[in-house]
Amino acid sequence: MRTEARWAVRGVIALAALAIGTATAGVARAEPGPWIVGVDGEASVIGESFGMRAEVAWRLGPAGTVSHLRAAIGVLPGPEFTFVPVSLGYRALWRADRTVQPFAGAGWENQHFVISDAPTEHRWLVLYVEGGCGFAVAPQVTLGLATSLDWSFVRHQGPGLQLRGTVSYRF
Amino acid sequence: MCRFLAIAALGAAAALAGCGRVNQSASCREFVACVRAQDAVDGVTTDATRFEPDGDCWGGPDIAELCDRSCVHGTAQLRADHSTLACAVTP
Amino acid sequence: MRHTWQLVGVALLIVLLRADVAHAHSPALLCADQPYAVTDATVSRALYGVFHAPDQVFVITMHPATRIALPFEILVPHRDELRDHRPAYAIVARGLPRPSPDVAARLPRPLPDGAGVFIDWNDAPTREVEFESFLRRVYWSSGTIAVLVPAGDVEIWVWSPRGTTGKFVLGFGVEEGGIDYGDVLDHWSDYAY
């Protein structure tokens, strides 16, 4: 297995272990505000690339509302190209004031494949679905795991599958 | 009114779905002409259906681009292999 | 009103999922010690192989009923470690031009009696770069060329003139013949990485 993949797997396992260990300690958390910012370590299973994705989500209503608007941008270098996704979508986040916080979402993404000696390939119409679970480790800090599946429509058709370890901060 | 709009959308979609096909490229028109000229010399008939106007080469823009490039190089190779080959595109 | 939105949704799917915009070759894996038999030369193929040793030769056989014009190209994954990897391929059959002695000497094995050859040395100074959207792969290409493949016994040889090792994909044909997704999943790392 490639070195980057080994490190990505180790990172995900470490996050999972920390999250589970902390969850069992029963961290109670308040819900201070509508904004969430996060950083994800991500591995792309289809199209080998590993990197980071920054995301921001905004709660569409008062405390207790599950609906969020999500935007994200990533840079995932790989041996054949660098993958740069830009996303805008919806995320439903449940139990935001509890330790275990499942979430699911869907949205639109445009994807750019930066190639060293050729023009960048663009996939402008990509739809994604995502799902995962966060674990509150501090009153405003959540660690999580997620997966997303996407499909590119129109011309450069094809699927995508990503795995992520997430760190997010709510304020 | 709503039903009319929905039917109109379906009709437009059906029309757009058929718009994926592209026309045979000039390069492949020339390649097929050269193949036929060589066929006449060799007394055979080459299966070049994929490059002809109704062929699978023209089912979408990506495959059409691949076929077009292959025809450009293929014609050049035919002329290199058969120096007396005389073929030209009929407009 | 709800019925209307459902119909609009179906219309959108028809536009988005046009089968013509996605084109897929039938993938298969090659072994250097076992010729790969193509049963239908009209079906497009993507044949994946790996040079584990620099002197390996991969052989593909086909038996077209008539002379057939097909596009051919050979691809190498767009990775730094394969930058100098330029496998060549030769189509060997009766009816193709006989090579000069110099050219014949550069082939990986002697030609069968009476056979001619078409050779793509894959030695263009700058190679085309191709993005394969389904598995998100990027390749250097030898450049696609339409070749007249004679009727009868045909062999395609793939070898590494520069003595390099690494992955390659030989692609030819246009008409789609279906994909064995089970095989793709079973050999995911061979196809996807």
Side-chain angles (χ1 to χ4, degrees):
Chain A
M1 190 189 279
R2 290 178 58 89
T3 304
E4 297 92 331
R6 285 201 205 103
W7 280 109
V9 170
R10 285 173 188 156
V12 168
I13 292 172
L15 278 174
L18 179 60
I20 292 168
T22 309
T24 56
V27 174
R29 62 186 303 281
E31 196 176 314
W35 291 97
I36 303 172
V37 293
V39 174
D40 307 338
E42 183 168 318
S44 182
V45 176
I46 298 176
E48 191 180 353
S49 55
F50 307 91
M52 309 292 289
R53 194 187 290 239
E55 58 180 30
V56 60
W58 180 60
R59 191 180 63 216
L60 297 170
T65 303
V66 302
S67 295
H68 293 71
L69 184 67
R70 170 186 175 264
I73 183 167
V75 179
L76 289 80
E80 296 178 8
F81 54 81
T82 296
F83 176 47
V84 180
V86 180
S87 324
L88 183 66
Y90 169 88
R91 176 180 287 177
L93 174 65
W94 294 275
R95 300 164 49 92
D97 58 345
R98 304 296 181 91
T99 302
V100 179
Q101 303 168 8
F103 61 87
W108 162 80
E109 190 166 275
N110 66 61
Q111 300 176 341
H112 311 280
F113 299 86
V114 181
I115 303 166
S116 60
D117 56 354
T120 298
E121 293 285 341
H122 306 282
R123 304 202 320 193
W124 295 109
L125 180 56
V126 180
L127 299 181
Y128 74 87
V129 293
E130 61 165 6
C133 193
F135 302 89
V137 297
Q140 291 168 266
V141 178
T142 303
L143 302 182
L145 298 170
T147 184
S148 70
L149 186 64
D150 60 70
W151 184 271
S152 169
F153 297 88
V154 185
R155 184 120 190 206
H156 291 309
Q157 287 194 359
L161 176 64
Q162 286 77 226
L163 303 174
R164 298 191 197 111
T166 73
V167 179
S168 58
Y169 177 79
R170 182 148 212 152
F171 63 96
Chain B
M1 181 64 177
C2 287
R3 188 174 291 272
F4 171 78
L5 284 173
I7 293 170
L10 270 175
L16 277 173
C19 286
R21 287 194 67 81
V22 299
N23 292 329
Q24 182 195 37
S25 71
S27 301
C28 284
R29 201 156 52 242
E30 180 179 6
F31 173 73
V32 173
C34 291
V35 167
R36 295 298 168 234
Q38 191 58 39
D39 282 352
V41 171
D42 297 336
V44 299
T45 302
T46 299
D47 174 4
T49 50
R50 54 211 55 79
F51 297 105
E52 291 170 352
D54 293 333
D56 281 21
C57 273
W58 319 113
D62 288 344
I63 189 63
E65 188 183 328
L66 182 145
C67 287
D68 180 62
R69 282 187 278 123
S70 73
C71 287
V72 170
H73 298 130
T75 303
Q77 187 68 39
L78 269 177
R79 292 207 164 106
D81 289 341
H82 308 283
S83 57
T84 60
L85 183 65
C87 56
V89 177
T90 305
Chain C
M1 191 63 186
R2 181 168 157 229
H3 188 58
T4 302
W5 282 112
Q6 288 171 344
L7 288 174
V8 171
V10 168
L12 193 61
L13 276 175
I14 291 172
V15 173
L16 293 177
L17 293 177
R18 290 173 352 207
D20 55 88
V21 299
H23 184 89
H25 292 332
S26 298
L29 298 177
L30 295 176
C31 296
D33 57 356
Q34 187 175 351
Y36 180 87
V38 171
T39 52
D40 185 350
T42 63
V43 171
S44 68
R45 313 271 174 176
L47 303 180
Y48 293 70
V50 184
F51 284 96
H52 296 291
D55 59 348
Q56 286 180 313
V57 181
F58 295 81
V59 178
I60 299 101
T61 63
M62 62 171 69
H63 309 278
T66 64
R67 186 159 76 182
I68 183 169
L70 296 173
F72 281 82
E73 66 181 332
I74 192 160
L75 307 163
V76 166
H78 188 277
R79 299 178 176 228
D80 283 344
E81 66 270 23
L82 298 177
R83 189 169 290 275
D84 294 328
H85 185 46
R86 287 172 173 259
Y89 68 93
I91 302 170
V92 177
R94 287 177 176 270
L96 288 171
R98 294 284 298 173
S100 67
D102 290 342
V103 171
R106 296 169 60 196
L107 292 171
R109 50 183 63 173
L111 286 175
D113 287 340
V117 67
F118 163 82
I119 307 168
D120 188 338
W121 294 104
N122 193 11
D123 57 0
T126 304
R127 287 179 288 183
E128 296 171 17
V129 175
E130 291 191 10
F131 176 67
E132 191 278 294
S133 182
F134 208 84
L135 291 180
R136 297 194 191 178
R137 301 295 307 277
V138 182
Y139 296 96
W140 283 298
S141 170
S142 61
T144 180
I145 180 168
V147 180
L148 300 193
V149 179
D153 296 333
V154 176
E155 286 189 353
I156 305 170
W157 301 345
V158 182
W159 77 105
S160 182
R162 297 186 177 197
T164 53
T165 56
K167 291 187 173 184
F168 71 91
V169 184
L170 178 71
F172 56 89
V174 175
E175 287 90 327
E176 294 188 352
I179 297 175
D180 181 351
Y181 289 102
D183 176 70
V184 172
L185 290 173
D186 284 344
H187 300 97
W188 182 253
S189 62
D190 293 311
Y191 292 118
Y193 304 133

